Each structure stands twice: as structure tokens, then as C-alpha cells.
Amino acid sequence: MNKSSHNKLVSFIWSIADDCLRDVYVRGKYRDVILPMIVLRRLDALLEPTKDAVLEELAFQRDEAGFTEWDESGLREASGYVFYNVSTWTLQKLKDTATNSQQILQANFEDYLNGFSPNVKEIIEKFKLRSQVRHMATKDVLLDVLEKFTSSYINLTPFEKEDPEGRKLPALSNLGMGYVFEELIRKFNEENNEEAGEHFTPREVIDLMTHIIFDPIKDNLPPVMTIYDPACGSGGMLTESQNFIKDEAGEIRATGDVYLYGKEINDETYAICKSDMMIKGNNPENIRVGSTLSTDEFAGKSFDFMLSNPPYGKSWSSEQKYIKDGKDVIDPRFQINLKNYWNVEEEADAIPRSSDGQLLFLMEMVDKMKSLSQSKTGTRIASVHNGSSLFTGDAGGGESNIRRHIIENDWLEAIVQLPNNLFYNTGITTYIWILSNNKAANRKGKVQLIDTVQLYRKLRKALGNKNCEFSPKHITKIVNTYKNMSVEERVGEQGISSKVFDNSDFGYYKATIEKPKRLCAQFTAERIEALRYDRVLQEPMQYAFETFGDNIYTNTKQHEKELLEWCEKNELNLSSANKTKLTKLTTWQKHLNLVKTGTVLLKAIGEDEYNDFNQFKKLVDAEIKKQKLSISASDKKAILNAVSWYDAEAEKVIKKVEKLSGDKLNKLLAHLDCEEKDLADFGYYGFSKDVSSSAVERSLKKGEYVIYETESDLRDTENVPLKDNIHSYFLREVQPHVPEAWINLDATKIGYEISFNKYFYKHKPLRNIEDVTNDILDLEKQSDGLITEILNLV
């Protein structure tokens, strides 16, 4: 369907809504009638020519064969499709025989709907068409709507026909239906001040995707082909893929059978897709309704080809409970194992943030790839995504791990960056990911990035956000660049850029750089007093102590009501757990004991300030032992934290002295590719043989190393390319600037991201200041001349 015919059809359908439904429905609800009536008319028009044959078959089954239940196969054979209608009505007959009684028309219409086969009845239910028919009959507009949809000046069938004046009315294909659906949805939502949520994939993008998926193996296609779309919408990608490989005039002309599978969450688009599957003779049972993420509808099944444009920027938080149980992933589609820095395989997070689930659809497709033992061609995938799939998520996070899983398994062949404003309802930059688990030899270990941002032609009239498109020549250019794995630089305003990278070029180590904790310490009455209150509950506890005094430590429950009322009055908004903690006697007694213990230590050790926390802690431990103070490790830590603070000039705090020997030492040295004497240079765990602290008075024995406490506030990270040596990078880029820093290798994570800007952006130098100044002066002269001319005229 060309743009002119498309616009005429959309205008005609919109006029139906305006002429018949005004004041009966609000504009945003026109879709509740228009969309199901379009689908119904498409089905009805196809069944009209075989209506008599179906009724004859029905009469035979009922009167001669004596069937009590209809033989569906006979009725389908009579209708010529996988659906049928056993009522005596058609939409045309309903209109022609209608009287002024809307009630009779309603009854006849419902009898007509009841005559459909079960697969069409499901579509009718998804559209809630019966309730719309009753509503239109009540408002006396049902006949008007029927007259519009049975007009001989509109063609909603997939076959070309003529209007009463002999003018051609082009066929409405599945893809054309998708365009109409998208445009109507946009208009409905604009009228209702809503933002359209569907992003229908334009024909030329589908054309590009099908060429990229099928062309490279066109001479080696499987004898039976299965195609799957986990977010199939109205089915455009599925049917266009089928048309592409079965086109008798095309380059491929596959002779094998093609089976289409899809799933769609939106009832309206599902109904449209299923109806078109029936019209084309495909099995409508292969199209399922519901959330792809919540339910693995095709569990255990794999497919030869998958093409999809999944929703992006859409929350999937309501579906998390089907995928995760707490922190555990319970859906095997999203369970992956990755090797950590030490090359040990472990379960990894493959769940993106809840605000955007597009990568989960990609994982769904990866899960359903055919192995090479199942098919010699494996599986090929093309999926449309926005930019967030390329780079969101930190190393070790869900998005990064999904990219890593795909790239390290060598499934990613290429990514094509598309021009902006190529889609109807979004102007953002989009990308086509091309995956295969059977890469050609020259593609193994490689990823091709193709930038087509400047390759487009403008539309004469924008369709929603869509103001440009690919021409057939553009598609050929992109496909050839992909097939030839060309490396190209854009020339001129329009053109294409392409680069080829190693898989590892997109990976990096996120190295955690630690610095030692340096603490000063001093007992003072003020610091000890701070132990009286819990850090989170300091404000209400301070109020309670100042109001109730020591009585709060023995009769906490007595003051519970007043204390909680004070918290509410002061809008502290405490959680239930903190409310319970605040009013528990044990909480108050714990903090009172901390104050008492701290006071004892203050009297014993005094108020001298120490710049060596190791020595200070040693004195505290000795005093606790000497006075036989009953104190837990956590309480002792609380006291030490209260009386110490960071000071860059203080001594480093020693965590422990560790002895490395045997297998542990050999494994570490082999991994670092160094000798034992070089361990301190690598900064592993803060190993150092330079012990100046009085806390370690003895000489270190062979294999013993000091491990320092880390200062979390000074912790930093460095992203080190996978192709770089993490230790060489540390010695070159970090240690010269922070000599006492070290790498925490156990915290090192591996991440993957793909940045088109990084690889394709070209800096344009600023213009010379003299040239800019001259241009400004020239503009001033021109403006002065214009002003003079205007004044002279006046």
C-alpha cells in the first residue's frame, strides 16, 4: 500500500469515528469500536464468497450425517480458511435487511458473532466486541457503523478490488494493517492526550532485517523453517519474513514450509495478529497472548530465525515475581554462569533494572536458539533496541552481564545504528542487534558496528515522529556492508561508516582501588556520651532521655505511647522495625552499657590523643582484659568507632598479618605472573613488608604479609580494558599518583559496553576566533544597512 492509499484509508476510517461515534464515545474510546470492526470486516469479506458452501456443509452435517457436534475440518474446507461462520448472516446482509429497530439488528448481529469458529470467537472476546455492539445499539448508531464498514468505497481485505466507479482499491496486507493500526492508535491517543506506547516497525526496517537475516544463508536454508517473535504486535515482522523468503519474484524463493510463532501481551494487537495469521493460512494457535516475560509459552522449543522489536523503556516490575524469588532467579531463561576474575565459573546476575526489560526479550530469544546439532545453520536473530541496551548497567550488573554472556559466547555478529525519527512514535536512536550461533569463519571472535545515522531520505510528509526512511538503495548498501564485513568511513553528508572489532574490545575490568585506613583516637566525655543514642534513632532517643531521664532505662514501655506520638508529631516517619527498636528495653540498656563501658575505659586510659590506632586498640584490649569487662565484639567496635576519626597523617591501621605459603602462594604468583618479592609492587591486598607500627613488634617471617584495613570513603575504581594487563595498568596509572594504594582483586568485576560515539564520533575543531569575529562584524554591517534603508523609506 502506497502512502496516498494509506492516508486515504486512515482518513476514511477516522471519518467513520467522527460521523457515527461522536457524542456516543469520547474520542479516546473510538478505538474500542474501530479496531475490532476493521478486523471483523476483513474476516467477513473473505468468507462472503464461500458462505453458501459453508451453509451446505452445515446442512449436510446436521440433516444427513446427523452430527451433534460440527466437524470443523469440513467447515474449514468449505470456507477455504482455517476459520468459518455458520450463521446465515454476513455484515452486508445485516446492513441490507436492517429495519429501524436497533434491538432486532443487535440480536441478528449477536447471532452472526455466535456463528464464528472458536478461533474467531476468541478474537471477538479480546476486543470485547459484544459489549460494544450492545452499546452502539442502545445509542442508535449500530446501523450507521455497519453502513460505513460495508461501503464499496473501502477495501479492508488482503485482495485488490474496484470501487463502483471502477477505480482500484489496493489490498490491505498484514503490514498495511499494521501501519493503519499504528496511525489510528497515534490519532486516538493524541485526541485523548495520551502517549502512544506501541512502536510499530516500519516496512523498510523490517525489509533491512529480513535481508540481513536470510541473505547470508539463502543457499543453505533449512527445509522447514520456524520464525519466532516474542513481542509480535500485529504480526508484521512474522508475515513480512514469510513473504520475503517465499516471494516468487525474490532472490531467495525458499521451497520449504515456513511456520510462524509469536506472543503478544496487548489484546488488541494480539487479535489483529491472530486474524491475519488465519487470513494467510498460518496456524493461529502458534500465536499466544500474554506476557512473554511472565510465562515461557514455548518452553523447550527452539527456532531457526527470530526477529523482534521488543518494548523498550517499559517497566517490568509487575512481572518480577515470575522471574525472581528474592535475589534468586527462578526462570531458567535468565540464569547464566560467568567466570570471575580468578577464572572460576559462578552464577551471575542477568536481570536488568525493573524500569526497562528489553534485554530480557533478547535473552528469551537466546534461550530458544537451535544448537548446531539440531540445525546445521543454527539460529539467526535480529532485534531492535534503543541505546540503553548498549551501555547501561555497571560491571557485574544485569545489563552488562547479559552483554557479556552474548559476546563471550561469540553470538553477536553486528549492530546497526539507525537514523533518528525512523519510527512512528519515537524519535530516539535505535539499533538492530544481529546474533548467530553459527558465525562464518571470518566473523568468529569479531563484532561489526555499522553507523547509518546519516543514511536516509526525507519523507514529504511526516507520519507521527517518522520523518525519514531508507530507500531500497540504502538497504542494499547496508546489507552489502554487513555481508562483506567492510570497513568504511562516511563520505559527505550522507553515507555509512563501518568498523570491525574483537569481542574483547568491548570488555573491561572494573578494578577496585583501595587505600589504607589511617585513624587517630582519643577518649573524651563528649565522644562517650554520643554512645547513648543509636545512630538511626538519635533524635527520638535524645528527646526521651532529656524528657524522662534515667527512668527510660527501666520503664521504657511506660513511655512508649508518648514517645511514638512525639515522633509522629515531629514527622519522623519511622519504619515499624525502628518503632519497635525505639521502644524496646534492650535497646536502651545496650546503649547505657556502652556509655558505662566507655566511661570506665576513659578513666583507665585517659584523654591522650593517639595517631597510631593500632597502639590505641592494643591498650583498649589490654584494659578490657584487665578489668574483665563483659563486652561483645560489636559493642567494642561501636566504642572504637565513636572515639576515632580519619587523619591522613596518622599511622595505617593493620587488619592482620597473613602467612601465604604452599598452594595459595603459588596460585597467586602464577596468576600475577610475578615472583614473591614483587607482591608488594602489585599492591595485592595491601601486602607490605614495611611495618613501622608498634602493633607489629616482631620481625615478619618468610611468607608473612601485613594486610591493612581499607578506608571505604577513599575507595575508587578504574576501568581497565580487557586487552590491557590489570597489574601493568595499576603500576603505570595508579601507583605513581597514590603509592600506598592497592588493587582488591577479589572485588574486581568484568563488564561489557558498546559505545557508538566512542568509535564513530569525529571531533570538529572550533573555528578560528578571528574568522568568527569577522563574521560578526559583517553581520553588524548588514544589519546597520538594513536599518538605514528602512529609516530612509520611512
Side-chain angles (χ1 to χ4, degrees):
M1 177 182 290
N2 59 39
K3 292 183 178 63
S4 175
S5 299
H6 164 82
N7 292 334
K8 286 180 182 177
L9 182 57
V10 169
S11 297
F12 187 93
I13 294 171
W14 186 252
S15 72
I16 296 175
D18 255 359
D19 293 345
C20 303
L21 303 180
R22 185 188 296 272
D23 300 327
V24 176
Y25 291 86
V26 296
R27 286 189 167 225
K29 293 293 184 181
Y30 285 177
R31 60 187 288 170
D32 295 348
V33 173
I34 297 300
L35 294 179
M37 285 300 297
I38 292 174
V39 172
L40 189 66
R41 179 55 181 157
R42 279 167 68 77
L43 299 175
D44 175 79
L46 293 176
L47 293 179
E48 275 184 349
T50 58
K51 171 59 75 173
D52 291 340
V54 171
L55 294 179
E56 288 176 11
E57 173 64 20
L58 180 67
F60 169 77
Q61 292 188 21
R62 181 183 58 212
D63 300 333
E64 297 186 33
F67 291 170
T68 57
E69 293 183 2
W70 309 136
D71 174 17
E72 288 205 58
S73 60
L75 294 170
R76 288 171 178 167
E77 185 177 346
S79 74
Y81 295 95
V82 294
F83 59 97
Y84 55 86
N85 188 305
V86 295
S87 77
T88 58
W89 301 103
T90 64
L91 290 181
Q92 188 69 46
K93 188 175 180 182
L94 284 171
K95 192 266 292 185
D96 292 342
T97 60
T99 64
N100 290 331
S101 173
Q102 292 281 333
Q103 287 73 26
I104 294 175
L105 178 58
Q106 175 190 334
N108 293 341
F109 205 122
E110 289 183 352
D111 183 54
Y112 166 70
L113 295 180
N114 291 333
F116 273 109
S117 52
N119 46 18
V120 177
K121 285 180 179 177
E122 185 197 8
I123 293 172
I124 292 169
E125 291 303 317
K126 293 299 180 187
F127 276 127
K128 300 179 177 61
L129 182 56
R130 297 179 198 276
S131 63
Q132 303 304 334
V133 169
R134 289 192 289 271
H135 183 66
M136 286 188 286
T138 303
K139 299 296 184 180
D140 293 330
V141 297
L142 181 56
L143 179 57
D144 296 336
V145 171
L146 261 179
E147 287 177 342
K148 292 287 188 179
F149 274 98
T150 54
S151 168
S152 55
Y153 290 93
I154 181 175
N155 180 21
L156 298 175
T157 73
F159 306 111
E160 187 180 279
K161 69 175 189 178
E162 293 183 351
D163 68 11
E165 277 75 43
R167 290 186 291 267
K168 286 185 178 180
L169 296 174
L172 181 61
S173 66
N174 174 278
L175 189 65
M177 180 65 193
Y179 275 105
V180 170
F181 172 77
E182 179 83 359
E183 184 68 6
L184 289 173
I185 291 295
R186 185 182 67 80
K187 288 176 74 69
F188 293 148
N189 286 341
E190 280 180 359
E191 293 292 337
N192 209 33
N193 293 320
E194 295 178 0
E195 184 177 339
E198 295 85 3
H199 298 295
F200 182 75
T201 314
R203 169 187 283 274
E204 73 270 19
V205 175
I206 298 177
D207 196 20
L208 172 62
M209 293 169 71
T210 51
H211 272 288
I212 288 176
I213 287 299
F214 296 109
D215 277 6
I217 59 169
K218 64 182 180 182
D219 298 323
N220 195 28
L221 291 171
V224 176
M225 285 166 279
T226 54
I227 305 174
Y228 173 53
D229 183 349
C232 63
S234 56
M237 280 201 184
L238 292 173
T239 54
E240 286 304 300
S241 296
Q242 184 180 42
N243 292 341
F244 180 78
I245 57 181
K246 299 293 286 185
D247 184 4
E248 294 182 0
E251 296 182 9
I252 293 183
R253 299 187 297 280
T255 57
D257 293 329
V258 178
Y259 296 93
L260 307 181
Y261 295 81
K263 192 168 184 183
E264 172 57 31
I265 193 171
N266 181 280
D267 284 349
E268 291 176 341
T269 45
Y270 162 74
I272 292 171
C273 179
K274 188 166 183 176
S275 66
D276 270 81
M277 290 297 122
M278 292 190 292
I279 289 171
K280 288 206 66 176
N282 292 300
N283 185 358
E285 301 307 314
N286 290 341
I287 306 300
R288 311 288 173 82
V289 65
S291 167
T292 298
L293 305 184
S294 297
T295 309
D296 189 0
E297 199 76 48
F298 299 103
K301 190 165 185 62
S302 54
F303 303 95
D304 298 294
F305 305 100
M306 289 179 258
L307 300 91
S308 189
N309 179 11
Y312 30 84
K314 178 182 174 184
S315 171
W316 60 282
S317 56
S318 61
E319 299 164 297
Q320 284 194 72
K321 58 182 177 288
Y322 302 105
I323 295 174
K324 295 180 69 177
D325 182 7
K327 292 185 178 180
D328 298 326
V329 178
I330 56 178
D331 191 321
R333 292 177 294 172
F334 312 117
Q335 293 173 342
I336 62 172
N337 290 311
L338 296 172
K339 292 182 178 180
N340 62 20
Y341 179 76
W342 298 100
N343 207 31
V344 177
E345 191 171 275
E346 55 189 25
E347 188 175 315
D349 176 18
I351 305 298
R353 65 197 68 192
S354 61
S355 60
D356 190 355
Q358 60 182 300
L359 281 173
L360 290 177
F361 285 88
L362 191 58
M363 288 292 289
E364 152 76 359
M365 289 187 278
V366 165
D367 177 69
K368 291 181 170 40
M369 290 194 296
K370 280 189 175 180
S371 66
L372 295 182
S373 62
Q374 293 174 295
S375 170
K376 61 182 180 180
T377 55
T379 292
R380 294 179 61 76
I381 296 172
S383 185
V384 180
H385 295 270
N386 67 4
S388 68
S389 291
L390 298 172
F391 48 75
T392 54
D394 202 359
E399 293 94 338
S400 177
N401 282 346
I402 290 173
R403 290 189 291 269
R404 181 183 172 194
H405 177 62
I406 291 170
I407 294 173
E408 289 189 349
N409 277 287
D410 203 16
W411 294 328
L412 183 60
E413 284 198 346
I415 298 178
V416 180
Q417 180 173 257
L418 303 177
N420 296 342
N421 299 312
L422 200 62
F423 285 70
Y424 272 110
N425 290 324
T426 178
I428 63 175
T429 307
T430 50
Y431 303 80
I432 301 174
W433 291 50
I434 299 109
L435 278 67
S436 170
N437 60 352
N438 187 24
K439 282 186 174 183
N442 65 322
R443 286 192 179 273
K444 291 187 183 297
K446 304 288 183 180
V447 175
Q448 183 181 13
L449 300 184
I450 304 173
D451 176 15
T452 70
V453 166
Q454 300 299 326
L455 188 71
Y456 59 83
R457 66 182 180 190
K458 284 286 187 180
L459 294 179
R460 291 177 61 187
K461 181 180 179 182
L463 296 172
N465 284 6
K466 181 178 175 63
N467 62 12
C468 64
E469 66 180 359
F470 285 136
S471 70
K473 288 183 179 180
H474 293 154
I475 292 173
T476 300
K477 172 65 175 173
I478 297 168
V479 172
N480 287 338
T481 300
Y482 162 74
K483 287 170 63 177
N484 299 328
M485 212 172 169
S486 308
V487 175
E488 301 182 27
E489 290 288 341
R490 181 181 296 116
V491 178
E493 287 292 324
Q494 285 207 334
I496 190 170
S497 294
S498 171
K499 296 184 179 182
V500 178
F501 301 89
D502 294 333
N503 288 346
S504 57
D505 285 330
F506 305 113
Y508 63 93
Y509 299 109
K510 183 182 179 182
T512 300
I513 308 299
E514 303 283 12
K515 299 178 183 68
K517 188 184 288 289
R518 294 176 178 271
L519 295 179
C520 287
Q522 180 188 31
F523 278 112
T524 64
E526 183 182 1
R527 292 192 177 101
I528 297 300
E529 183 62 22
L531 293 166
R532 192 178 296 278
Y533 313 119
D534 183 276
R535 181 178 56 84
V536 177
L537 300 170
Q538 180 174 347
E539 190 175 351
M541 288 184 77
Q542 186 172 351
Y543 161 78
F545 179 66
E546 292 173 354
T547 304
F548 309 120
D550 290 339
N551 189 258
I552 192 70
Y553 295 110
T554 53
N555 297 297
T556 309
K557 284 294 178 183
Q558 176 185 338
H559 307 292
E560 178 178 348
K561 182 179 179 182
E562 184 179 348
L563 181 53
L564 291 178
E565 285 177 352
W566 183 89
C567 291
E568 187 172 346
K569 180 181 178 181
N570 286 271
E571 300 180 350
L572 296 188
N573 196 24
L574 297 179
S575 66
S576 56
N578 280 333
K579 287 178 183 177
T580 302
K581 186 178 180 181
L582 175 63
T583 55
K584 281 183 71 173
L585 181 62
T586 53
T587 301
W588 288 91
Q589 289 179 341
K590 172 187 175 181
H591 285 276
L592 179 60
N593 289 334
L594 286 174
V595 173
K596 288 179 179 179
T597 304
T599 302
V600 171
L601 293 172
L602 168 61
K603 290 179 180 179
I605 297 176
E607 293 191 4
D608 291 342
E609 183 177 321
Y610 293 80
N611 74 339
D612 187 341
F613 184 80
N614 306 295
Q615 183 183 1
F616 177 79
K617 183 173 177 291
K618 188 175 180 182
L619 291 173
V620 171
D621 289 339
E623 200 59 44
I624 289 174
K625 184 177 181 181
K626 177 182 176 182
Q627 300 204 32
K628 298 180 180 179
L629 299 176
S630 178
I631 182 172
S632 66
S634 61
D635 285 350
K636 184 177 78 169
K637 183 178 180 181
I639 293 173
L640 290 173
N641 286 341
V643 299
S644 61
W645 63 93
Y646 179 81
D647 188 325
E649 301 301 319
E651 293 291 335
K652 292 183 278 189
V653 179
I654 294 175
K655 182 177 182 180
K656 63 178 177 178
V657 175
E658 179 172 327
K659 182 174 178 61
L660 282 185
S661 60
D663 292 341
K664 186 174 182 180
L665 178 62
N666 292 333
K667 181 178 180 181
L668 178 62
L669 295 176
H671 187 73
L672 301 180
D673 191 23
C674 71
E675 297 180 11
E676 186 178 355
K677 64 182 177 63
D678 300 320
L679 278 180
D681 294 333
F682 280 119
Y684 179 74
Y685 271 124
F687 287 148
S688 173
K689 293 192 176 185
D690 176 23
V691 183
S692 57
S693 170
S694 60
V696 181
E697 297 172 349
R698 60 182 173 80
S699 298
L700 293 174
K701 298 177 183 177
K702 181 175 175 57
E704 288 186 336
Y705 295 87
V706 175
I707 300 178
Y708 296 110
E709 292 280 6
T710 61
E711 179 56 57
S712 59
D713 289 343
L714 299 178
R715 183 175 293 134
D716 203 355
T717 58
E718 292 280 339
N719 288 349
V720 183
L722 281 186
K723 285 189 171 181
D724 201 346
N725 180 284
I726 193 170
H727 308 291
S728 300
Y729 179 94
F730 173 77
L731 295 175
R732 182 178 71 248
E733 303 292 341
V734 178
Q735 204 171 61
H737 308 288
V738 192
E740 64 183 17
W742 69 90
I743 305 173
N744 183 352
L745 289 179
D746 284 342
T748 297
K749 296 179 180 179
I750 299 174
Y752 277 77
E753 66 177 22
I754 303 167
S755 172
F756 270 74
N757 285 340
K758 175 181 176 181
Y759 300 120
F760 292 102
Y761 174 75
K762 287 190 175 181
H763 173 69
K764 292 183 178 179
L766 296 175
R767 294 176 61 199
N768 186 287
I769 188 64
E770 287 80 9
D771 293 339
V772 175
T773 303
N774 291 333
D775 285 349
I776 293 173
L777 293 174
D778 288 341
L779 288 171
E780 287 179 348
K781 290 178 182 178
Q782 292 177 29
S783 63
D784 288 343
L786 286 172
I787 291 171
T788 302
E789 184 178 340
I790 292 169
L791 292 175
N792 288 337
L793 287 173
V794 172

